[in-house]
Amino acid sequence: MAGTSIDGIAGERRQLINVAYRLLGSLAEAEDAVQEAYARWYALPRSRQEEIVSPGAWLTTVTGRICLDVLGSARARRERYVGAWLPEPLPGRAEWDHGHGTDPADQMVLDESVSMAFLVVLDSMTPAERVAFVLHDVFRYPFAEIADVLGRTSAACKQLAASARRRVGAARAPVTAAGQADVVRHVKEAWEAMDIEALVDLLDPAAVMTADGGGIAGTVLRPIEGGARIAQYMVAIAGMAPGLELLERSVNGVPGLVAERAGVVVTVASFEVTDGRVTRIWVVRNPEKLRLWARDG
């Protein structure tokens, strides 16, 4: 972790936001974690700040510990959550660029490590595995420094990252963005035409759709398994939701679909595509997770 002058400490925020979002799957929670880390830094006496060789490393360690605590408490919160919990989807740059140059979303790096498929795999890890893997494999921090975050030995952190790596390795390799865009476009066209046969052809027979309404927006509470069942559900929903407009949009840096009603985003869908067919669909309808998609300018 590179050293940082005290005067340039604010310059660490972008990196910290990116780390915290990948650890927590929520930009709102990532902002809170980074804000708390800065609050702890500024609460230090000036003499203590000057003793710290690398303020950037200190902030990353503190942010990591805060995220670890949040991940631990999230397990209990998830038990009370209505239906499935999914990460907060990130819009593409054009969607959130409303002239707010200081918007935390503007600081996000949209790469494969924020795709919904990747975040869902991260969410299956233990909090310690997730911290070790994200800090080492995604951000290339050394295990000696990760050990300070987790309060474990470097060897133990290596084992945690290796365990997490096996989970990631078991996930399917992502298709190119261009290839995914074509499939997503065909899904949109078939959905709009309410063409069950076309949808079935586009969906893998073992496809799974998971939806997150948070108990606020209506949706299925359990994953729907099987391409045919998903196609039937999509067509049934289309028939019950007049006035919806489907739009092709970047979701977490990958081609996805957004549904709007009267100009308001009500649904964001992410896809995993393998061998030209959709294998996973993640649908976020919880309005609390769609705040970044609100058009305000």
Side-chain angles (χ1 to χ4, degrees):
M1 304 177 194
T4 305
S5 70
I6 292 175
D7 290 339
I9 199 73
E12 293 294 314
R13 184 177 296 274
R14 184 174 189 267
Q15 174 82 344
L16 296 173
I17 287 284
N18 275 276
V19 168
Y21 174 76
R22 287 160 177 80
L23 289 177
L24 300 176
S26 163
L27 190 55
E29 290 185 348
E31 292 177 58
D32 289 342
V34 172
Q35 193 63 31
E36 173 63 20
Y38 272 99
R40 294 184 189 183
W41 167 263
Y42 288 118
L44 294 175
R46 181 75 178 187
S47 59
R48 175 69 183 109
Q49 291 179 351
E50 291 172 346
E51 290 173 357
I52 296 172
V53 176
S54 173
W58 187 93
L59 278 168
T60 302
T61 298
V62 172
T63 299
R65 289 173 180 167
I66 293 169
C67 289
L68 190 63
D69 290 342
V70 173
L71 287 170
S73 63
R75 300 269 161 162
R77 293 202 310 274
R78 300 281 177 81
E79 292 177 3
R80 300 190 298 270
Y81 197 83
V82 179
W85 184 95
L86 290 174
E88 178 185 355
L90 293 177
R93 192 74 56 196
E95 289 294 304
W96 69 46
D97 185 12
H98 301 310
H100 303 307
T102 59
D103 192 316
D106 291 332
Q107 304 179 60
M108 289 300 302
V109 175
L110 298 176
D111 58 20
E112 64 278 1
S113 68
V114 296
S115 70
M116 190 64 70
F118 192 80
L119 291 174
V120 168
V121 174
L122 290 180
D123 203 54
S124 71
M125 301 175 183
T126 67
E129 283 177 338
R130 187 167 184 169
V131 170
F133 177 80
V134 168
L135 289 181
H136 182 266
D137 284 48
V138 178
F139 290 97
R140 303 301 177 191
Y141 292 145
F143 284 116
E145 296 182 3
I146 297 170
D148 288 339
V149 177
L150 293 176
R152 307 192 187 198
T153 64
S154 294
C157 293
K158 285 182 182 178
Q159 291 179 340
L160 287 167
S163 174
R165 209 171 291 125
R166 286 192 291 272
R167 295 184 193 244
V168 173
R172 296 182 177 93
V175 72
T176 63
Q180 174 143 330
D182 290 339
V183 175
V184 169
R185 181 172 301 113
H186 293 321
V187 169
K188 172 182 179 289
E189 293 167 351
W191 193 88
E192 289 174 330
M194 299 176 68
D195 188 336
I196 289 182
E197 287 188 15
L199 284 170
V200 169
D201 286 342
L202 290 164
L203 294 164
D204 187 277
V208 179
M209 187 184 84
T210 305
D212 177 347
I216 302 172
T219 190
V220 289
L221 298 180
R222 293 179 178 82
I224 299 177
E225 299 180 358
R229 291 186 63 204
I230 294 171
Q232 291 166 356
Y233 176 78
M234 291 175 69
V235 170
I237 286 297
M240 294 187 293
L244 276 188
E245 181 183 9
L246 274 184
L247 304 169
E248 296 173 54
R249 293 287 184 265
S250 170
V251 181
N252 288 66
V254 181
L257 292 177
V258 168
E260 289 187 355
R261 178 180 284 114
V264 176
V265 172
V266 294
T267 304
V268 173
S270 306
F271 300 84
E272 181 180 67
V273 176
T274 304
D275 297 329
R277 282 183 144 184
V278 174
T279 52
R280 292 294 304 264
I281 306 175
W282 298 282
V283 178
V284 177
R285 299 203 69 237
N286 183 346
E288 294 179 354
K289 295 185 178 183
L290 301 179
R291 64 191 182 93
L292 290 173
W293 298 80
R295 299 180 183 280
D296 60 358

